[in-house]
Amino acid sequence: MNFKNIESQSFDFQEKINCFVGDNGVGKTNVLDAIYYLSFAKSYFNPVALQNIRHGEDFFMVEGNYLLNDREEKIVCSLKKGQKKVLKRNDKAYEKFSEHIGQFPLVIISPADRDLIVEGSETRRKFIDGVISQQDKAYLQHLIQYNKVVSQRNALLKYFAANRTFDALNLKIYDDQLIEHGSIIYEKRNVFLEKFVPIFNRKYQKISNDKEFVNLVYKSQLHTMSFTELLKNSLEKDKVLQYTTVGTHKDDLNFEIDNFPIKKFGSQGQQKSYLIALKLAQFQFIKEQSNVTPILLLDDVFDKLDEHRVAHIIDLVNNDEFGQIFITDTHEDRTENAVKQSNKPYQIFNLNSYEN
């Protein structure tokens, strides 16, 4: 209800493949985002929660009924202007939203993923953190604490500068916490990528028909120096700039094709294949780690791909490793032809015929 451009709508989904077709602007992606919301208590496309309320209304609500391990579960997420967002599972409100992450694992593949290639390092860190957090509660807590400490340390550095003072003992309290949480984050990212990169490579080879070699390289200041040394060496710089210039919040991932940055040397089709492989690897990784098959959202995924690559994606989807899949497309015929080949039960919702 009142979610983005949708006034009120309910759907009964097929347990395998569900397709939303219709013109641009009818709200296909918004339906996917509502499903995403129920897993993460936030939008995939717009981080400003209030902007997800339909124009002219003062609240939104998204409700979903799930079957998880043969148990029925009801998830409701709602937001009213001037109040805090509420997330409930079986009518019981969560105190911390972080407790919900990973309970209903989900992977989305969308044109917005292009940000992973073109934007700065924060976008790629969010990707890696999102994958690990869905199946490692402790990691998520270390991450929340670490980011909190970075903010506190930055505030202290600003205070020192404004008051022309310096207190090494006070700073050390934050440094010790950064080292504690940051070192664990670094180790867990390393372990994750050791498992993840081979899966990703296999997915890409399958989509591209073994045409190119791709890689994912973890960049971290901690590769060459301990966290303690990093903080010691950067102290003067931190004092001048009034923020923390080193640590795991500066980590990055290099996306490479044939040992060159894909951002500069990959074609549009190669970049799209790279991102789809990345997300399918995320899907397999989460499934293996959590023993729950994630929901898969494919937003406008057939666009800008040649028929050969589309066929490969349908092949992958036809594989029994997938559970429930949601697909959006502007072309009903293209979607129908694609899902027909999958031999799986499917349902097509033409949103042009839904009145909002």
Side-chain angles (χ1 to χ4, degrees):
M1 276 180 81
N2 300 333
F3 184 72
K4 299 191 171 183
N5 73 335
I6 301 166
E7 186 183 344
S8 176
Q9 195 60 62
S10 64
F11 298 94
D12 283 318
F13 294 130
Q14 163 62 251
E15 66 179 66
K16 275 299 175 188
I17 300 174
N18 300 276
C19 309
F20 304 102
V21 297
D23 302 334
N24 284 322
V26 294
K28 302 182 297 293
T29 299
N30 295 346
V31 180
L32 290 196
D33 205 22
I35 297 168
Y36 183 90
Y37 228 106
L38 292 170
S39 279
F40 294 97
K42 64 181 180 186
S43 161
Y44 185 68
F45 301 96
N46 189 343
V48 185
L50 281 170
Q51 291 174 7
N52 294 308
I53 297 175
R54 192 166 179 261
H55 291 311
E57 303 295 340
D58 66 351
F59 79 97
F60 79 72
M61 184 184 80
V62 183
E63 178 182 316
N65 296 308
Y66 293 79
L67 196 62
L68 182 71
N69 301 327
D70 298 330
R71 276 185 51 189
E72 288 199 10
E73 303 266 1
K74 185 170 94 169
I75 306 298
V76 181
C77 194
S78 58
L79 176 68
K80 196 169 181 186
K81 283 180 181 171
Q83 295 181 15
K84 285 173 87 169
K85 195 190 291 176
V86 178
L87 178 68
K88 292 181 177 177
R89 180 174 181 176
N90 302 328
D91 299 323
K92 188 175 183 296
Y94 279 97
E95 280 181 31
K96 290 181 182 167
F97 290 178
S98 60
E99 291 167 6
H100 182 66
I101 306 303
Q103 298 296 320
F104 298 85
L106 177 149
V107 172
I108 183 167
I109 302 179
S110 152
D113 298 338
R114 197 157 180 273
D115 289 354
L116 285 165
I117 290 175
V118 298
E119 295 289 329
S121 59
E122 186 186 354
T123 315
R124 290 179 288 280
R125 277 195 307 278
K126 272 187 179 160
F127 168 73
I128 190 173
D129 291 338
V131 186
I132 304 172
S133 298
Q134 280 200 67
Q135 42 78 43
D136 187 339
K137 283 273 176 279
Y139 180 83
L140 183 56
Q141 291 311 317
H142 283 296
L143 201 59
I144 291 167
Q145 289 306 317
Y146 179 89
N147 290 333
K148 206 160 137 189
V149 178
V150 171
S151 298
Q152 291 168 329
R153 189 179 189 269
N154 291 350
L156 187 63
L157 289 164
K158 281 189 177 68
Y159 173 83
F160 290 159
N163 295 280
R164 297 190 176 175
T165 178
F166 180 70
D167 179 352
L169 207 62
N170 212 339
L171 194 68
K172 189 179 183 302
I173 293 167
Y174 293 127
D175 286 1
D176 289 347
Q177 291 178 53
L178 277 189
I179 292 161
E180 179 198 341
H181 297 296
S183 301
I184 293 169
I185 290 166
Y186 172 69
E187 284 308 321
K188 285 188 182 250
R189 282 177 182 168
N190 261 325
V191 169
F192 161 69
L193 284 162
E194 274 172 27
K195 292 179 190 163
F196 185 80
V197 173
I199 301 172
F200 164 65
N201 279 324
R202 285 197 298 276
K203 297 290 180 197
Y204 188 89
Q205 295 310 326
K206 212 162 183 181
I207 295 171
S208 72
N209 234 3
D210 293 331
K211 286 213 179 71
E212 308 99 11
F213 167 76
V214 289
N215 205 5
L216 199 57
V217 182
Y218 180 29
K219 301 260 298 190
S220 178
Q221 297 159 321
L222 275 86
H223 286 345
T224 51
M225 213 178 277
S226 74
F227 214 145
T228 311
E229 287 174 296
L230 279 174
L231 287 167
K232 196 171 135 195
N233 293 350
S234 70
L235 180 59
E236 291 312 313
K237 191 179 175 185
D238 288 4
K239 278 156 76 174
V240 172
L241 294 173
Q242 299 170 39
Y243 68 85
T244 309
T245 59
V246 295
T248 46
H249 62 292
K250 296 290 177 187
D251 286 359
D252 200 353
L253 287 175
N254 281 2
F255 288 180
E256 295 178 353
I257 184 158
D258 293 330
N259 295 320
F260 292 103
I262 195 158
K263 183 178 178 177
K264 288 183 183 152
F265 294 91
S267 70
Q268 223 179 350
Q270 285 171 331
Q271 290 186 1
K272 191 151 189 181
S273 297
Y274 192 100
L275 292 168
I276 290 170
L278 201 62
K279 292 302 191 78
L280 290 173
Q282 175 187 2
F283 181 97
Q284 189 179 325
F285 179 82
I286 291 170
K287 186 180 176 183
E288 284 174 4
Q289 297 295 315
S290 66
N291 291 324
V292 176
T293 305
I295 289 170
L296 182 63
L297 310 182
L298 301 175
D299 184 27
D300 202 16
V301 84
F302 300 140
D303 208 34
K304 295 191 185 64
L305 284 183
D306 55 46
E307 279 185 16
H308 169 77
R309 287 179 197 240
V310 169
H312 266 297
I313 288 168
I314 290 302
D315 267 359
L316 287 166
V317 167
N318 199 12
N319 191 317
D320 282 332
E321 70 180 278
F322 290 98
Q324 198 172 30
I325 299 173
F326 296 87
I327 298 170
T328 67
D329 195 7
T330 43
H331 299 74
E332 184 164 358
D333 297 347
R334 173 169 65 184
T335 305
E336 180 124 34
N337 290 336
V339 296
K340 255 186 197 156
Q341 297 166 33
S342 73
N343 310 319
K344 295 270 188 283
Y346 67 88
Q347 193 167 357
I348 293 181
F349 300 88
N350 189 324
L351 296 193
N352 289 336
S353 57
Y354 284 77
E355 286 298 316
N356 266 326

